């Protein structure tokens, strides 16, 4: 079974960088043709993609967050990370890591439980 687990701080001060880690078990993040990424949920915007990284290391960023977000991976530890800099209270959200399976019609088939992140002073 595929499991994803987010970890990181629950609170970040405005202007600081949010760093989150997603540990993956039950599947390799380098297995073709899967994508691994970050989604967040806010009351106002609902669900939105932040970024993802493909099995080959190709990255994608939401245009609205591209300037502030960065995704990386550690294939030896089978995990990937999110760095979101210059945070503000509008970045307060539940952050999920997830897998996209192109071979399953690009279904977002596995999700972490999510982690609440609050940006406040």
């Amino acid at each position: 079974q595929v499991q994803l687990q987010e970890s990181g701080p629950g609170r970040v001060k405005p202007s600081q960088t949010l760093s989150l880690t997603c540990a993956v078990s039950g599947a390799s993040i380098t297995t073709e043709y899967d994508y691994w990424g970050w989604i967040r949920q806010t009351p106002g915007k609902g669900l939105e993609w932040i970024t993802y990284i493909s099995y080959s290391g190709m990255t994608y960023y939401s245009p609205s967050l591209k300037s502030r977000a960065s995704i990386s991976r550690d294939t030896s530890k089978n995990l990937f990370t999110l760095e979101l800099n210059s945070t503000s209270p509008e970045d307060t959200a539940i952050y999920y890591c997830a897998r996209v399976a192109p071979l399953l019609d690009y279904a977002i088939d596995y999700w972490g439980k999510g982690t609440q992140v609050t940006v406040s002073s």
Side-chain angles (χ1 to χ4, degrees), residues 2-7 21-25 36-41 47 49 80 94-100 108-116:
V2 180
Q3 294 184 323
L4 294 82
Q5 179 66 61
E6 303 91 346
S7 62
T21 297
C22 182
V24 179
S25 63
W36 306 85
W38 294 93
I39 304 165
R40 67 182 184 181
Q41 182 178 32
L47 294 171
W49 275 102
F80 59 99
I94 302 172
Y95 285 76
Y96 299 91
C97 56
R99 185 183 81 168
V100 176
I108 307 174
D109 58 350
Y110 291 99
W111 299 67
K113 294 180 180 179
T115 183
Q116 174 69 50

Side-chain angles (χ1 to χ4, degrees), residues 20-42:
L20 298 174
T21 297
C22 182
V24 179
S25 63
S28 172
I29 61 174
T30 62
T31 296
E32 58 184 20
Y33 299 94
D34 295 337
Y35 294 72
W36 306 85
W38 294 93
I39 304 165
R40 67 182 184 181
Q41 182 178 32
T42 62

Side-chain angles (χ1 to χ4, degrees), residues 84-97:
L84 185 66
N85 61 38
S86 301
T87 58
S88 74
E90 293 185 354
D91 294 311
T92 295
I94 302 172
Y95 285 76
Y96 299 91
C97 56

Side-chain angles (χ1 to χ4, degrees), residues 43-63:
K45 296 181 179 180
L47 294 171
E48 65 171 332
W49 275 102
I50 302 168
T51 177
Y52 63 74
I53 188 166
S54 77
Y55 69 99
S56 65
M58 180 191 71
T59 58
Y60 165 85
Y61 297 94
S62 169

Side-chain angles (χ1 to χ4, degrees), residues 7-12 17-21 95 115-118:
S7 62
R11 184 177 298 276
V12 179
T17 296
L18 169 64
S19 298
L20 298 174
T21 297
Y95 285 76
T115 183
Q116 174 69 50
V117 177
T118 301

